[in-house]
Amino acid sequence: MMILYRGSPKAMEVPQYGFGSKENDYGLGFYCTQSNDLVKAWACPTVQRGFSNKYELNIDGLRPLYLNSEGYHILN
């Protein structure tokens, strides 16, 4: 099981594709991170209240790729 967090201006029980902006580097999708502290900093920099949404992802049978591990760099 992997715990992921996502900052947003509203609480979202289930992450949904399509609420992002086409101008974002990730398009209509969204970023998630394993760092709740990072999400709190990102949540809503332009409004006073934001939410740190927590998701549990079943990764049984998957091999996550950690781009910040040794052997990778910013261009990956």
Side-chain angles (χ1 to χ4, degrees):
M1 188 70 60
M2 178 184 281
I3 304 296
L4 295 173
Y5 299 93
R6 175 181 179 238
S8 69
K10 64 180 187 173
M12 296 184 80
E13 279 189 44
V14 177
Q16 296 177 340
Y17 176 80
F19 290 97
S21 170
K22 292 178 188 176
E23 286 75 38
N24 290 340
D25 60 343
Y26 49 87
L28 297 176
F30 51 86
Y31 284 118
C32 287
T33 179
Q34 291 178 290
S35 170
N36 194 30
D37 289 335
L38 190 56
V39 160
K40 289 177 183 178
W42 287 348
C44 295
T46 59
V47 296
Q48 287 185 338
R49 291 185 161 204
F51 292 88
S52 173
N53 299 283
K54 179 181 176 182
Y55 305 111
E56 294 181 7
L57 178 63
N58 182 349
I59 60 170
D60 291 344
L62 299 177
R63 290 185 355 205
L65 175 62
Y66 295 96
L67 293 176
N68 59 348
S69 58
E70 190 172 323
Y72 294 100
H73 51 77
I74 192 71
L75 297 177
N76 290 113

